[in-house]
Amino acid sequence: MEFFVFISEQWVLVSVLLILIYLFAINERIKSGRPLSVHAVTRMINADEALLLDIRDSKEFKAGHIAGAVNIPQTKLSDKLAELDEHREKFIIIADKVGQNAGAAGRRLRQNGFKVFRLTGGMMEWQSQQLPVVKS
């Protein structure tokens, strides 16, 4: 009961706190790369503006991936950043399974000077939109 009394008496402070939490969350999301829809990703890849980096493990990648994607599993990304140096002039679009792990990889790439975006919903969203995948 005291909690609700505090909120009603200190509504300005509570509002400021909620706004700050919201701004912090947005800032952290942007640091890992802005999310892109499957349609925006398709357009960028077709225009040769971006490289698609698939950070799923090799087994999942071989089971089905987006044509032209480069596979560097997230666990090996730090060790293999040099492989991406030739693509610094392009945007790097990160794809993972469902979009949950792309944030950490995006932050790591941005810290190393890459321009990063994330595929919203990952490969699950790509496949749910019935877009083509390549099996190897």
Side-chain angles (χ1 to χ4, degrees):
M1 189 67 169
E2 291 179 27
F3 177 71
F4 296 112
V5 172
F6 174 79
I7 289 176
S8 67
E9 291 176 353
Q10 302 296 328
W11 63 270
V12 173
L13 290 176
V14 172
S15 298
V16 169
L17 176 65
L18 292 174
I19 290 169
L20 289 174
I21 291 171
Y22 178 74
L23 291 174
F24 176 76
I26 289 175
N27 186 43
E28 286 301 309
R29 188 173 184 190
I30 290 172
K31 281 183 184 178
S32 62
R34 203 175 85 223
L36 289 178
S37 69
V38 294
H39 305 295
V41 169
T42 302
R43 184 195 55 77
M44 290 179 76
I45 291 171
N46 288 342
D48 200 30
E49 297 173 348
L51 170 75
L52 186 73
L53 175 63
D54 193 322
I55 60 169
R56 297 176 298 155
D57 64 38
S58 298
K59 182 180 176 184
E60 289 176 316
F61 181 79
K62 289 176 183 174
H65 60 274
I66 299 170
V70 172
N71 180 235
I72 300 177
Q74 183 176 4
T75 56
K76 299 177 183 176
L77 186 59
S78 294
D79 299 331
K80 296 191 174 191
L81 279 175
E83 292 180 21
L84 298 173
D85 279 340
E86 65 187 72
H87 302 286
R88 280 198 183 269
E89 72 283 350
K90 292 184 178 183
F91 294 102
I92 305 290
I93 301 172
I94 302 171
D96 63 354
K97 189 171 185 174
V98 291
Q100 294 179 337
N101 297 321
R107 277 190 292 282
R108 187 171 301 128
L109 289 170
R110 284 189 64 138
Q111 289 170 350
N112 285 281
F114 291 95
K115 300 172 282 188
V116 180
F117 289 102
R118 294 178 289 124
L119 173 60
T120 302
M123 288 300 295
M124 295 292 275
E125 178 65 20
W126 185 271
Q127 291 172 332
S128 74
Q129 295 286 329
Q130 298 179 352
L131 293 167
V133 293
V134 177
K135 297 181 182 186
S136 44

